[in-house]
Amino acid sequence: MKKIKVLMPLIAFIFIFLACSSDDNAPVEDNNDAVVGTWSLAELNINPPQDINNDGSTTSNILTELPCAAGTLVINSDGSWNSTVVNLDITPITGGLFDIRCTNTSSTASGVWQFQNSQLSLFFNTTLFLYNLSGDRLTNTTNEDLPGFMSEVYEKQ
C-alpha cells in the first residue's frame, strides 16, 4: 500500500504533463493588413562600415551617406508584391574599402507573398526572401559582408 501512495503523485504528474497540449509550435495567424501597403527602404546596412561620401565619418547604413540609394516595396492584398530599387555599383578598392555609387538604373522584381508568425515571405521565381515584421519595420537580415549587404530595412508608409 505504501508503494501505491508514493507512485500515485508521480502517476498523476505524468498524466497531467502528457495530457496538456502545447501550442508553442502552432503557427500564429497574423493579420495580413499589417504588411499590405507601400514600404520605403529605410536602411541598407553593410559591413565593414564605409565613408561613402568622404566626409570623414564611416557608417554601416548606406542611405545616410548615399541619398540616391532608394527602394520601394509594395505588398498587395491579392497576394502579390513588387519592388523597385536603385542599382548600386560596388567596387573593391583595397584594404576593406569599397567605392559605392548609385547607377542611373533601377531594378524591379515581383512575385507572391505569405505572412505567418510575424515573418513575411516574398517568393521571386525560385528565390525566397524573408522579412521579420516589428512594428512598422520589415527587416531582411543576410549577414553578408561587402560587396553583399548585412541587412535591409523597410518602413511602412
Side-chain angles (χ1 to χ4, degrees), residues 31-52:
N31 180 358
N32 286 345
D33 291 337
V35 293
V36 170
T38 301
W39 299 78
S40 293
L41 187 62
E43 293 179 26
L44 189 54
N45 297 301
I46 57 173
N47 187 50
Q50 302 287 306
D51 182 10
I52 299 165

Side-chain angles (χ1 to χ4, degrees), residues 35-97:
V35 293
V36 170
T38 301
W39 299 78
S40 293
L41 187 62
E43 293 179 26
L44 189 54
N45 297 301
I46 57 173
N47 187 50
Q50 302 287 306
D51 182 10
I52 299 165
N53 63 3
N54 296 314
D55 67 354
S57 176
T58 60
T59 185
S60 294
N61 183 1
I62 288 176
L63 301 183
T64 61
E65 296 215 1
L66 200 58
C68 58
T72 303
L73 173 63
V74 178
I75 308 295
N76 300 303
S77 60
D78 66 358
S80 66
W81 66 270
N82 60 71
S83 70
T84 303
V85 293
V86 171
N87 291 329
L88 298 176
D89 182 24
I90 302 174
T91 307
I93 301 172
T94 184
L97 298 177

